[in-house]
Amino acid sequence: MEGNVRASVQKDIDLIVEAGLREQDQVELNAMDADVRSALEHGIAHSSPSCLTVTVNSLPAAMFGVVPVQPRCGLVWLLGTDDILKVSTQFLRESKSWLGHISKEYDLVGNVVHESNSVSIRWLKWLGFTFLGKQGPFIEFVRTNNV
């Protein structure tokens, strides 16, 4: 089974909402008082240079991108379904390259992760992010590029 990455399309949102998010992603959105459809619609509308979708067997398993918040600074994000686990080895192997691709326009990218999301915290450390501090149940993380 192989996953692919392609440009996101609006229908991806419907399919991810229908499939349901990974429990960790849903916990984060709940703590932010946000819903998955709104979060994905914001991501597809505002990510630059693009919003991308990971597919498994041609179906969307995750969407990710960087939303600019200041000149040369952006919020990196990813929301996915449990199907991402079906291609976890490939996803891990390729994620550094994809992070480089989506963050190349930025000097700094970061966001927050829920303190209970140990899988994402380990992955973010592996990707080279630095953890700064806590805000409520969230831990801030950042990574510098081109600096």
Side-chain angles (χ1 to χ4, degrees):
M1 180 173 308
E2 283 194 33
N4 292 301
V5 176
R6 59 162 171 75
S8 298
V9 295
Q10 191 67 33
K11 181 140 178 73
D12 295 341
I13 295 172
D14 298 331
L15 294 170
I16 288 175
V17 168
E18 183 179 307
L21 287 185
R22 296 180 316 132
E23 181 180 349
Q24 302 93 329
D25 289 348
Q26 191 61 60
V27 166
E28 284 187 0
L29 287 181
N30 291 346
M32 293 177 184
D33 200 27
D35 70 274
V36 62
R37 182 174 298 280
S38 296
L40 292 173
E41 286 176 354
H42 182 80
I44 201 170
H46 298 288
S47 289
S48 177
S50 62
C51 182
L52 298 171
T53 296
V54 178
T55 62
V56 176
N57 296 331
S58 301
L59 294 173
M63 291 173 66
F64 64 97
V66 179
V67 174
V69 290
Q70 294 179 10
R72 310 274 314 150
C73 295
L75 293 175
V76 64
W77 65 275
L78 179 141
L79 292 171
T81 70
D82 285 331
D83 282 348
I84 196 73
L85 299 173
K86 295 177 180 175
V87 294
S88 60
T89 301
Q90 178 186 357
F91 176 77
L92 286 173
R93 192 172 49 243
E94 296 176 4
S95 59
K96 284 186 180 182
S97 175
W98 284 110
L99 176 61
H101 172 75
I102 64 172
S103 65
K104 65 185 173 198
E105 297 178 2
Y106 301 92
D107 293 332
L108 182 118
V109 293
N111 207 329
V112 295
V113 61
H114 196 275
E115 64 189 355
S116 69
N117 195 342
S118 59
V119 172
S120 290
I121 290 169
R122 279 195 318 272
W123 175 61
L124 290 165
K125 285 179 182 176
W126 182 77
L127 287 172
F129 283 92
T130 300
F131 292 82
L132 301 177
K134 282 186 65 181
Q135 293 183 5
F138 296 100
I139 304 168
E140 295 177 288
F141 62 89
V142 296
R143 180 179 158 188
T144 57
N145 302 316
N146 314 316
V147 179

